[in-house]
Amino acid sequence: MIITRSPLRISLGGGGTDLPSYYRDHTGFLVAAAIDRHVHIVINRTILPEMILKYSQTERVTDVGAIQHPLVREAMRLVGIPADGLEIAAMADIPAGTGLGSSGSFCTALLRGLHALRNGNPSAAELAEQACHIEIDRLREPVGKQDQFIAAVGGVTCFRFHPDGHVEYWPLRASSDTLRRLERNLVLYFTGYTRSASEVLREQDTKTKAADQSMIDNLHFIKDLGLKSKEALEGGDLRAFAELMNVHWRSKKKRSGNMSNSRIDEWYDLGLKHGGLGGKLIGAGGGGFLMFYTEDAEQLTDTMTEAGLQQVPFRFDFEGTRIVSGATPSPALRPAVRRAA
């Protein structure tokens, strides 16, 4: 039996510029952080002449092509695993559709386990690229490369997405004290709304491909905010970072009328009035988690809890996608950091 896990993530600035429709012409940049809320994959060899797949549904198949779950089907095809004598189960700390990058985490965790079945040992970058290939190239989903890479690499990490598809990444150069304060003062509240990220991102993707100038200008501005967020974090100015979160959210809402709703806007305003110095909705938009930066977490949490939102505590995850049982991770399983030139 092999058990793998991948961290979920929060975006700290520049989100949305990781889609191919943008970075192929303009180069993308963002900062993201992996958190200690995970997707777990369990893979077990059995004596049955079929494959049993358990997630929110249960499937029993004898042929890979018959698998209904698209990520599982394409991952098994990519690695070359037959659909017999195998049981795969997926579990997550946070449900899908909540803006924390669950599909990217699912895919990297699954690929790590499938490669382990064949004694394969891809690097973190190779694992992320394979997950991107499945979602973007094979399944034609209008998603970016952020989720797969931050899941595989872990940490608080800067990413640059080059026009040729190459992804450059390096750890945010912030002090240990800044990272501790950032981790302590960022808080997540679940709005109760779930949505498909691809549905929300499709409008952005379509407009960008059509060279819609207002969309492209918006993404240019978001990328600039990502770079400014990096500078604020590396300079230890967390209040400046908090204000950039507010600017980011106001700009992000201009991309689509489906980005927010009246309830989310009310909760956002409420949070800023009761201890939040900055805030935004995590992920593609339309639901999921509100994230605030605060220096008075107790007041903010009391207010948001009274308003009906659930807080989800977290810490940063610096391990990335890994095997937790069933194989001995070698040094090559650890994220290989690519530093900027």
Side-chain angles (χ1 to χ4, degrees):
M1 180 182 292
I2 296 172
I3 303 175
T4 64
R5 79 177 191 193
S6 276
L8 298 175
R9 63 99 183 101
I10 55 175
S11 298
L12 300 179
T17 68
D18 59 318
L19 270 70
S21 54
Y22 179 79
Y23 71 68
R24 282 175 181 160
D25 291 322
H26 309 289
T27 304
F29 176 85
L30 61 81
V31 184
I35 63 174
D36 64 349
R37 297 288 175 154
H38 300 95
V39 173
H40 294 81
I41 300 291
V42 180
I43 303 177
N44 187 41
R45 285 289 191 188
T46 74
I47 61 172
L48 298 175
E50 64 179 351
M51 173 184 170
I52 303 172
L53 177 59
K54 301 176 182 177
Y55 49 106
S56 58
Q57 303 176 37
T58 299
E59 297 186 45
R60 288 176 177 266
V61 300
T62 56
D63 181 75
V64 170
I67 298 173
Q68 295 180 21
H69 195 299
L71 295 178
V72 178
R73 183 183 64 247
E74 297 306 320
M76 292 187 66
R77 282 174 169 167
L78 187 149
V79 181
I81 303 291
D84 62 284
L86 201 62
E87 184 175 11
I88 299 179
M91 291 150 282
D93 296 333
I94 303 292
T98 52
L100 300 183
S102 59
S103 65
S105 297
F106 179 99
C107 203
T108 54
L110 177 62
L111 285 167
R112 175 63 77 204
L114 293 177
H115 279 294
L117 282 177
R118 292 191 172 278
N119 296 316
N121 187 23
S123 68
E126 291 169 335
L127 197 67
E129 286 291 4
Q130 288 180 5
C132 290
H133 174 64
I134 287 172
E135 291 199 71
I136 298 171
D137 301 324
R138 293 194 175 200
L139 297 177
R140 303 293 183 184
E141 292 288 347
V143 298
K145 290 188 170 184
Q146 170 188 191
D147 298 349
Q148 302 87 347
F149 268 87
I150 190 60
V153 172
V156 184
T157 306
C158 302
F159 295 92
R160 184 172 290 118
F161 305 92
H162 292 275
D164 64 358
H166 169 65
V167 180
E168 181 184 16
Y169 58 88
W170 64 96
L172 180 76
R173 298 182 179 98
S175 69
S176 297
D177 176 67
T178 296
L179 291 178
R180 282 194 296 268
R181 287 190 293 132
L182 181 67
E183 182 181 69
R184 182 178 65 246
N185 293 342
L186 285 176
V187 287
L188 284 174
Y189 303 101
F190 182 45
T191 64
Y193 295 106
T194 61
R195 82 290 176 272
S196 167
S198 61
E199 291 178 5
V200 178
L201 289 171
R202 198 173 304 279
E203 180 179 355
Q204 173 188 323
D205 191 55
T206 300
K207 288 184 176 181
T208 306
K209 287 178 178 177
D212 181 285
Q213 197 58 49
S214 62
M215 179 62 72
I216 293 172
D217 288 346
N218 183 281
L219 290 169
H220 285 341
F221 184 68
I222 292 294
K223 180 171 66 175
D224 185 59
L225 290 178
L227 292 165
K228 289 179 178 177
S229 295
K230 169 184 174 293
E231 294 173 2
L233 291 168
E234 292 184 340
D237 192 346
L238 295 184
R239 288 197 168 193
F241 166 73
E243 178 52 35
L244 288 169
M245 288 175 66
N246 292 328
V247 176
H248 183 281
W249 176 233
R250 290 194 293 268
S251 179
K252 185 175 179 178
K253 287 203 298 180
K254 295 177 182 179
R255 288 189 219 163
S256 170
N258 297 321
M259 192 66 67
S260 186
N261 60 47
S262 60
R263 291 299 303 279
I264 291 173
D265 290 342
E266 288 174 7
W267 288 326
Y268 171 80
D269 292 339
L270 183 68
L272 293 185
K273 291 177 182 177
H274 294 273
L277 299 180
K280 64 177 182 176
L281 201 67
I282 293 295
F289 283 86
L290 272 170
M291 181 173 74
F292 290 96
Y293 180 85
T294 179
E295 294 173 355
D296 190 351
E298 183 175 355
Q299 179 195 174
L300 180 58
T301 297
D302 286 346
T303 299
M304 302 310 284
T305 300
E306 186 176 342
L309 278 69
Q310 179 183 354
Q311 183 192 10
V312 175
F314 70 90
R315 300 190 68 181
F316 296 142
D317 179 305
F318 290 90
E319 294 184 318
T321 303
R322 61 184 292 261
I323 295 173
V324 296
S325 179
T328 302
S330 71
L333 285 178
R334 302 188 187 102
V337 173
R338 295 183 179 182
R339 293 194 175 272

